[in-house]
Amino acid sequence: MVASFVLCLLGFTLIGLSSARASRGTRHDYYLADGTVPPWLVGLSAVATNNSGYMFIGVIGYTYATGFPAIWLMLGWLLGDYLGSTFIHARLRAATEGCDEVSYAGVLARWHGERNTALQRSIGAISLLFLISYAGAQLLAGSKALHVLFEWPLWAGAVLGSVLVVAYCFAGGIRASIWTDAAQSMVMIVAMSLLLVVAVVELGGFGAAWAEWKEIPEFTRWTPQAPAFLGWTGGPLFVLGWMAAGLSVIGQPHVMVRFMTLSAGPTGMRRARTWYYLWFTAFYFAATAVGLLSRLYLADSGDFDAELALPTMALELLPGVLVGVILAGIFAATMSTADSLILSCSAALTHDLLPHRIERPLLIKASTVLMTAGALVLALSGSDSVFALVILSWSALASAFAPLLIALALGARPSQARALIALTVGLGVSLLWRQLGWESVVYEGLPGIAAGLLVHAVPAAGRRALRAAESST
């Protein structure tokens, strides 16, 4: 078990370190790989970053506890993600090429040429706050898996992940991250598929699994459980909310920066998206199926941590060598996202927040170490579940940034003041929604994004009304 796990981690680390040979030692290369990454690498890197410890730990734990309604979460998320990508990704890549910015915040703030400094710093500050919390959740996810399988203390996995992330980020920046993401994505899907096949075979097929699922109260209901006062609207609101969660990917700097690194070409974005969605669909289906099957192998004792379902299930079903592969898949998922988050935090600090941009490679790398240390401290001190931490950060970032990016991609030219108001309103609505506990009714990213879009829509509606009034006179 330990040998197969260590070999996989060693392979990832060597791939990351080897990227140093291609490094050009510039700020643009460290954060965007000079826009030279081929489509297949962009697609695999983006999907590995998106499907993190949240998928291995959080989603499987949620599915274990919830049952078949989790399928609607999967369908809503995939559809929302796809709809957003159809008109956002290519426009973001074009805007990146048209300016000298290396951060997500920088590109949004200079979309139409003139740099909006206050907007860029606001986006950078919000990014830093929530992305570092998100990174802490990833390190926590890896620690949970190591704690179950190796009985290591909870801090050990977080420290190991931090050291490895710093090592290959120090070597090649985002290029190292992308190269290791591609390798990690392969291990992730092999690990999940392996556990799915073994679990089904051990049960005697899906027919036998279905018969056992039906014995669990409420587990096989097809409509999500919602407050009674919503009536029949509870199910559609559940799906609509998770479609907003899928759409929210456009508000995640650490994912969208992958598409900003794409090499130029008329068909490049289409090919990158093909790689992305083929892998994403297959992996999400396998993860949901494993989550459902885990309930048959692991009884709900009341004090069982559902987020430990996958590693616990692997221990019961697989020989030691294959358990090591599963653990490598989980750890790969956490690292593929953690390194991306930390690099985005570093870009926010060195490029968006400081009064003078940092250009020296050593100082840029030092900021990466600093961000990793911050994420590690959060991982060691945090007690929230991976699912809760990720959803909170995901919805906050989406509610703040997605409305602005959608408006820009559709050709709007919001003033800096209006963009800041929309950012504040979207983020505030999302956080208030969760504070009031209404996320059980609908995912908080939906009202957050809607509120931000409403702020952007008001001036457009006013201009149309004015033109209509002028034409009538």
Side-chain angles (χ1 to χ4, degrees):
M1 183 195 311
V2 176
S4 56
F5 171 68
V6 170
L7 283 175
C8 286
L9 288 191
L10 180 61
F12 299 148
T13 306
L14 291 177
I15 290 171
L17 295 178
S18 68
S19 69
R21 296 177 302 171
S23 175
R24 300 178 185 178
T26 66
R27 168 177 58 90
H28 202 274
D29 184 73
Y30 188 79
Y31 289 126
L32 287 182
D34 279 332
T36 60
V37 182
W40 70 273
L41 270 178
V42 168
L44 289 180
S45 175
V47 80
T49 299
N50 195 1
N51 293 273
S52 57
Y54 160 77
M55 191 70 72
F56 271 94
I57 302 296
V59 164
I60 289 180
Y62 177 82
T63 306
Y64 171 93
T66 306
F68 276 63
I71 294 173
W72 292 107
L73 186 156
M74 173 184 70
L75 296 176
W77 195 297
L78 286 169
L79 181 57
D81 189 324
Y82 180 78
L83 291 175
S85 74
T86 56
F87 68 98
I88 293 293
H89 292 174
R91 289 174 172 85
L92 178 63
R93 174 64 183 87
T96 304
E97 191 173 6
C99 66
D100 186 37
E101 303 291 337
V102 299
S103 69
Y104 179 84
V107 173
L108 265 60
R110 283 191 64 175
W111 193 278
H112 292 297
E114 183 180 351
R115 185 184 182 195
N116 296 316
T117 304
L119 178 61
Q120 183 170 349
R121 287 180 177 169
S122 297
I123 296 174
I126 294 171
S127 297
L128 184 58
L129 174 63
F130 288 102
L131 289 178
I132 202 166
S133 300
Y134 198 162
Q138 299 310 308
L139 297 176
L140 177 62
S143 290
K144 282 190 172 188
L146 287 173
H147 176 67
V148 170
L149 295 176
F150 293 158
E151 297 184 351
W152 289 1
L154 275 174
W155 60 264
V159 171
L160 176 61
S162 299
V163 170
L164 292 174
V165 166
V166 166
Y168 55 72
C169 283
F170 226 80
I174 199 169
R175 184 178 285 105
S177 177
I178 289 173
W179 287 13
T180 53
D181 282 350
Q184 289 161 355
S185 68
M186 301 300 182
V187 175
M188 287 162 64
I189 201 163
V190 167
M192 193 68 78
S193 301
L194 175 66
L195 190 55
L196 173 59
V197 170
V198 172
V200 171
V201 170
E202 286 290 320
L203 285 170
F206 273 108
W210 175 255
E212 292 193 39
W213 282 326
K214 290 178 68 176
E215 298 298 320
I216 303 174
E218 300 292 313
F219 196 78
T220 57
R221 68 181 187 275
W222 285 103
T223 55
Q225 189 172 17
F229 69 87
L230 291 176
W232 66 269
T233 64
L237 280 175
F238 180 89
V239 177
L240 186 62
W242 289 110
M243 281 182 63
L247 175 64
S248 297
V249 73
I250 65 173
Q252 311 305 314
H254 60 293
V255 179
M256 297 308 291
V257 73
R258 264 63 191 151
F259 296 99
M260 292 161 61
T261 67
L262 181 67
S263 58
T267 63
M269 187 60 71
R270 184 170 65 250
R271 289 160 56 199
R273 290 175 65 233
T274 298
W275 279 95
Y276 179 90
Y277 285 108
L278 285 175
W279 194 102
F280 194 4
T281 303
F283 185 78
Y284 210 149
F285 172 82
T288 301
V290 168
L292 293 172
L293 290 167
S294 68
R295 186 62 177 271
L296 304 182
Y297 286 95
L298 308 170
D300 185 6
S301 61
D303 58 352
F304 174 67
D305 185 350
E307 293 193 338
L308 300 178
L310 186 142
T312 305
M313 184 176 167
L315 278 175
E316 289 197 8
L317 294 178
L318 301 176
V321 172
L322 296 182
V323 171
V325 174
I326 295 293
L327 180 56
I330 299 172
F331 216 71
T334 63
M335 287 197 302
S336 69
T337 301
D339 65 347
S340 308
L341 292 160
I342 288 165
L343 282 171
S344 289
C345 288
S346 175
L349 177 64
T350 63
H351 189 70
D352 302 324
L353 293 176
L354 296 180
H356 301 288
R357 296 177 182 175
I358 293 178
E359 301 284 349
R360 293 177 58 186
L362 186 59
L363 291 179
I364 289 174
K365 292 178 179 180
S367 72
T368 302
V369 176
L370 179 63
M371 294 298 100
T372 306
L376 178 59
V377 169
L378 289 173
L380 297 179
S381 61
S383 59
D384 287 334
S385 74
V386 172
F387 190 87
L389 280 171
V390 170
I391 290 299
L392 173 63
S393 300
W394 188 273
S395 59
L397 292 167
S399 299
F401 305 150
L404 174 60
L405 182 52
I406 291 171
L408 292 170
L410 293 177
R413 303 178 69 94
S415 66
Q416 178 169 267
R418 186 165 295 279
L420 287 170
I421 291 171
L423 184 151
T424 304
V425 169
L427 177 60
V429 168
S430 173
L431 295 177
L432 178 61
W433 195 272
R434 175 165 281 267
Q435 182 65 31
L436 294 173
W438 293 348
E439 75 277 5
S440 61
V441 177
V442 65
Y443 164 70
E444 64 266 27
L446 177 59
I449 293 172
L453 286 174
L454 183 61
V455 173
H456 285 291
V458 168
R463 287 192 297 269
R464 286 195 296 269
L466 180 61
R467 285 195 297 267
E470 290 173 346
S471 63
S472 64
T473 58

